[in-house]
Amino acid sequence: MADTPREILTVAAFQTADKATALTLINRAIATADAILAKAPGDREATLQKGIGIGYRAKLTKSRTDAQTSLKIFEALAAKDPRDAEAQMVVAGWHLDAIDQLGGFIARTVLGARRAMGDAALDRAVALGRNRAFFPGLAAMMTIRQDSDDVDGARKLAEAAIAAPAVTPLDQLMKRNAAAILPSLRANKGKAAADLSRTLLPFGRLKG
């Protein structure tokens, strides 16, 4: 049974097949994070997970307000600790996911998403999180999804994820996902790797 905001959001993003259930879980995670923050204002983990939850809700409901709220939370965390790899990763994900979902022009015009900012934050996240499989594993999928011709870059990231420690459930998940796309990357099949990555990223198998 998932109890923490992080656990609840992991179930919503990677283990849930329908949109209504995912949204219920997301709202539960946000409420749980709010309860933690009511007792411990400024709690970094609760703040991060609240931001992720709001960002996930924005993705599923296409709420501009939620999208902008989540970015403010992520940017504040990154500014507070520029060496926080998770904060860098969520900033990267915000920009690059918006571009993938909406297209570059609309994402830039409506939300202010920028590929250059996403790429820079992704590079920082990988550099700062070299001791965990989560960062290069997620980066490998985001890289090949963004550019199916960037096989070499995605392959190097996937191989780094395979070699990195998997100290948390998310590390273990991303290591498995990196292993799943690696055969296509090694065979220079960028589109196949990109298509598979889309199903392995958050809500990639969602229906409804």
Side-chain angles (χ1 to χ4, degrees):
M1 186 71 179
D3 293 317
T4 69
R6 185 182 290 259
E7 290 169 341
I8 297 166
L9 290 174
T10 299
V11 172
F14 297 104
Q15 300 173 29
T16 303
D18 69 278
K19 184 176 178 179
T21 302
L23 282 170
T24 297
L25 289 167
I26 289 165
N27 286 325
R28 179 180 150 209
I30 294 169
T32 304
D34 278 334
I36 295 168
L37 289 167
K39 296 178 180 178
D43 182 282
R44 180 261 182 200
E45 172 68 2
T47 302
L48 174 64
Q49 299 308 320
K50 179 179 179 177
I52 292 172
I54 293 171
Y56 280 173
R57 190 170 64 190
K59 180 178 178 67
L60 298 188
T61 63
K62 298 179 173 60
S63 166
R64 181 182 180 184
T65 298
D66 274 350
Q68 292 173 332
T69 298
S70 66
L71 180 60
K72 288 178 182 177
I73 292 171
F74 299 154
E75 288 180 333
L77 286 169
K80 185 175 182 179
D81 181 4
R83 298 193 61 78
D84 184 337
E86 287 188 323
Q88 296 296 334
M89 182 59 84
V90 291
V91 170
W94 189 92
H95 286 278
L96 300 180
D97 287 350
I99 291 168
D100 182 69
Q101 184 175 15
L102 301 174
F105 177 77
I106 294 175
R108 182 172 63 254
T109 303
V110 175
L111 295 177
R114 298 286 191 276
R115 178 171 172 176
M117 294 179 71
D119 286 343
L122 192 65
D123 288 344
R124 287 194 293 270
V126 172
L128 292 166
R130 290 187 184 278
N131 61 332
R132 288 181 53 192
F134 171 77
F135 298 100
L138 183 55
M141 292 187 292
M142 292 172 69
T143 295
I144 198 67
R145 177 191 67 178
Q146 179 174 259
D147 182 1
S148 60
D149 290 329
D150 192 3
V151 173
D152 287 343
R155 177 182 53 77
K156 290 174 183 176
L157 287 164
E159 288 173 342
I162 296 297
V167 296
T168 72
L170 276 175
D171 291 311
Q172 294 160 16
L173 175 63
M174 290 306 157
K175 181 172 276 201
R176 290 195 299 271
N177 289 350
I181 67 171
L182 199 48
S184 293
L185 294 171
R186 286 174 170 164
N188 202 35
K189 296 179 179 178
K191 186 178 184 306
D195 290 344
L196 179 55
S197 292
R198 281 195 167 85
T199 71
L200 296 173
L201 285 162
F203 309 107
R205 294 192 173 107
L206 205 63
K207 297 185 175 76

